[in-house]
Amino acid sequence: MDPHNLEYINELLDKDVELREKIKDQVADFDRKTRILSGMLNKIHSTPAEQIPKLLDSVTPVLESCQETTTALADLIPQNQFWRWKDMWSISLRNAVFSAALVEFLRSGSLLSLSQANQILGIKEEWSDRFTLSAEDYLHGLISVINELSRLAVNSVTLGDFQQPIKISIFVKDLFAGFAMLNLKNDTLRRRYDSLKYDIKKIEEGGLYRQALVEIRLQCNYTYCAMSLSLIVWESVVVDIASNDVLRGEMIEKNIARLQILSKRDPDSATLPEVVA
């Protein structure tokens, strides 16, 4: 083989190795940022609804900092070599889309579009031959959002937010219907789409069912308190007929104390009294 040709090939290999190491450094930084985002967004499962906006405000600067990394990656990749290198950052990019889409749902209750995701992550149209957000990576990010929302639906009821599971159910079912219209091949994306039916089942059984159960318990508790109030009035009338002021005062005081205890009873308690119709 011609020595000059060998030298040229060695130079190309060395450049590839050098480029790969630079890309790895940027992807490692991208991974670090997406892990921080995931950790911060995980707090939504233990944060009351009224404090969610404050949490999202703290997430936004980290999400916006991903633009620096995407710009650095776009500057590194040579023209027309997107498909050669994309597997190095695809997982990080999917996680970033997941975080951006989850923030968008929690803020507005709407779906993050592909163009909005590009804008948030600072991905420009002129980078299409070097660095871009593919439709596949975007859809993987949306599926991860559904996985997370199925968990949030259950935890929202625990925190006393009974409206969130309903919003999540409507959003997820609408998104699932959209996925059903896509021509997905038998690959990883297709398998992840097929698993969404289990998330929908979890939302319906774990979130909506539990919400209904808590509301029934609350209703039973209120009914029992109302019956106790009627009992106080009835006993007061009976004692009034007996014209025994001392006994009357003691009985009213005892029943009022009993009603106060019942009104403070935990609606999630498993020892709620039976209500006889």
Side-chain angles (χ1 to χ4, degrees), residues 26-27 33 35 51 63 70-71 86 95 98 100 102 113 116 135 145-146 165 179 193 195 211 227 236 264 273:
Q26 293 300 326
V27 171
K33 291 176 180 178
R35 285 196 301 269
Q51 297 179 18
L63 188 59
T70 56
T71 301
K86 75 172 290 291
N95 291 336
F98 155 73
L102 183 58
S113 67
Q116 287 176 319
V145 172
I146 296 177
F179 269 97
Y193 159 70
S195 70
Q211 172 194 352
M227 294 173 64
S236 299
K264 295 178 182 179

Side-chain angles (χ1 to χ4, degrees), residues 55-110:
L55 175 61
L56 297 181
D57 289 340
S58 66
V59 171
T60 302
V62 183
L63 188 59
E64 291 177 347
S65 70
C66 292
Q67 297 181 8
E68 301 172 5
T69 307
T70 56
T71 301
L73 284 169
D75 291 339
L76 286 173
I77 308 302
Q79 289 185 344
N80 302 314
Q81 292 195 21
F82 167 71
W83 294 103
R84 180 182 179 186
W85 302 102
K86 75 172 290 291
D87 290 339
M88 293 186 67
W89 63 72
S90 61
I91 294 178
S92 301
L93 191 56
R94 293 171 188 179
N95 291 336
V97 172
F98 155 73
S99 298
L102 183 58
V103 168
E104 180 66 23
F105 170 78
L106 293 173
R107 272 190 176 147
S108 63
S110 60

Side-chain angles (χ1 to χ4, degrees), residues 32-254:
R32 181 184 60 83
K33 291 176 180 178
T34 56
R35 285 196 301 269
I36 292 173
L37 286 170
S38 296
M40 296 175 73
L41 288 172
N42 191 54
K43 296 179 181 178
I44 62 175
H45 300 288
S46 57
T47 302
E50 61 274 9
Q51 297 179 18
I52 291 293
K54 183 178 179 180
L55 175 61
L56 297 181
D57 289 340
S58 66
V59 171
T60 302
V62 183
L63 188 59
E64 291 177 347
S65 70
C66 292
Q67 297 181 8
E68 301 172 5
T69 307
T70 56
T71 301
L73 284 169
D75 291 339
L76 286 173
I77 308 302
Q79 289 185 344
N80 302 314
Q81 292 195 21
F82 167 71
W83 294 103
R84 180 182 179 186
W85 302 102
K86 75 172 290 291
D87 290 339
M88 293 186 67
W89 63 72
S90 61
I91 294 178
S92 301
L93 191 56
R94 293 171 188 179
N95 291 336
V97 172
F98 155 73
S99 298
L102 183 58
V103 168
E104 180 66 23
F105 170 78
L106 293 173
R107 272 190 176 147
S108 63
S110 60
L111 175 66
L112 182 77
S113 67
L114 180 58
S115 60
Q116 287 176 319
N118 280 318
Q119 183 178 1
I120 291 173
L121 298 176
I123 301 174
K124 299 179 181 179
E125 189 175 351
E126 55 264 29
W127 298 348
S128 59
D129 61 338
R130 294 174 289 155
F131 185 89
T132 189
L133 174 59
S134 65
E136 181 181 359
D137 290 337
Y138 169 71
L139 293 175
H140 273 290
L142 295 186
I143 291 176
S144 296
V145 172
I146 296 177
N147 299 152
E148 194 71 14
L149 289 180
S150 66
R151 180 185 169 203
L152 180 60
V154 177
N155 292 329
S156 295
V157 179
T158 304
L159 294 173
D161 185 0
F162 299 148
Q163 295 303 314
Q164 189 70 285
I166 299 175
K167 295 177 183 177
I168 291 174
S169 179
I170 295 172
F171 176 81
V172 169
K173 288 180 179 178
D174 183 58
L175 190 53
F176 182 78
F179 269 97
M181 299 179 193
L182 298 175
N183 183 24
L184 301 177
K185 305 300 181 182
N186 189 21
D187 56 5
T188 305
L189 186 60
R190 175 72 193 194
R191 290 192 293 272
R192 291 196 69 196
Y193 159 70
D194 289 338
S195 70
L196 291 181
K197 58 180 178 287
Y198 300 108
D199 291 298
I200 294 176
K201 184 178 181 181
K202 183 178 180 180
I203 293 170
E204 292 175 343
E205 296 183 356
L208 299 179
Y209 173 76
R210 189 173 182 183
Q211 172 194 352
L213 185 60
V214 170
E215 289 179 345
I216 290 172
R217 285 181 171 180
L218 281 171
Q219 187 62 41
C220 290
N221 204 12
Y222 295 152
T223 303
Y224 191 71
C225 289
M227 294 173 64
S228 297
L229 182 61
S230 300
L231 180 60
I232 290 175
V233 175
W234 171 249
E235 289 182 347
S236 299
V237 171
V238 172
V239 174
D240 188 52
I241 293 175
S243 300
N244 189 333
D245 293 337
V246 176
L247 180 61
R248 181 174 183 271
E250 291 177 353
M251 189 171 295
I252 291 176
E253 184 178 351
K254 178 184 67 176

